Amino acid sequence: MAPAEIEIDEEEFKKVFKKPLIKYSDMKTEMGNEVVEICTMALDKFQSNSDYENAAVFIKNALDKKFEPTWQVGVGEGFGFDISCTRENVIHLYYGKVGVLCYKS
């Protein structure tokens, strides 16, 4: 028996993918929520013209200001990573089709 196909209209699809999907985080909940909020704000601002470089700069500056330097940020549609960082200071999330990696070195 074949699985039934589920139809989702475009509006519903956009709603589902406009929520950030956290793939990995070892941050405390409050800090993680603030970082996700900063990331989504930056991507909402710069994603329309795929300006990922300025989004990364915006996120880095905000995190350096809020949680002290030195934060590293990667934003893009296809990347892998292997990093060394301080404990409780890394998050990897997707916002739509865009991946964001933030960590403190």
Side-chain angles (χ1 to χ4, degrees), residues 44-89:
D44 284 339
K45 184 174 182 178
F46 294 105
Q47 190 175 17
S48 62
N49 49 350
S50 298
D51 193 1
Y52 301 141
E53 184 177 349
N54 282 332
V57 170
F58 180 90
I59 294 167
K60 181 198 176 354
N61 290 338
L63 294 178
D64 282 346
K65 190 175 190 180
K66 186 150 186 107
F67 301 112
E68 301 177 2
T70 54
W71 284 88
Q72 309 299 318
V73 178
V75 178
E77 293 183 22
F79 63 90
F81 59 91
D82 186 16
I83 58 170
S84 296
C85 59
T86 57
R87 292 175 56 192
E88 297 184 350
N89 286 299

Side-chain angles (χ1 to χ4, degrees), residues 15-65:
K15 280 184 193 176
V16 169
F17 283 98
K18 270 305 193 187
K19 295 178 184 173
L21 172 66
I22 299 171
K23 294 297 283 185
Y24 176 79
S25 176
D26 70 350
M27 294 179 175
K28 293 181 179 167
T29 305
E30 183 178 318
M31 182 181 187
N33 289 340
E34 291 180 36
V35 172
V36 168
E37 187 176 321
I38 291 168
C39 291
T40 56
M41 182 173 54
L43 290 174
D44 284 339
K45 184 174 182 178
F46 294 105
Q47 190 175 17
S48 62
N49 49 350
S50 298
D51 193 1
Y52 301 141
E53 184 177 349
N54 282 332
V57 170
F58 180 90
I59 294 167
K60 181 198 176 354
N61 290 338
L63 294 178
D64 282 346
K65 190 175 190 180

Side-chain angles (χ1 to χ4, degrees), residues 4-19:
E5 288 188 27
I6 300 172
E7 283 193 34
I8 299 175
D9 64 339
E10 190 172 337
E11 272 307 305
E12 187 67 27
F13 183 77
K14 285 181 180 180
K15 280 184 193 176
V16 169
F17 283 98
K18 270 305 193 187
K19 295 178 184 173

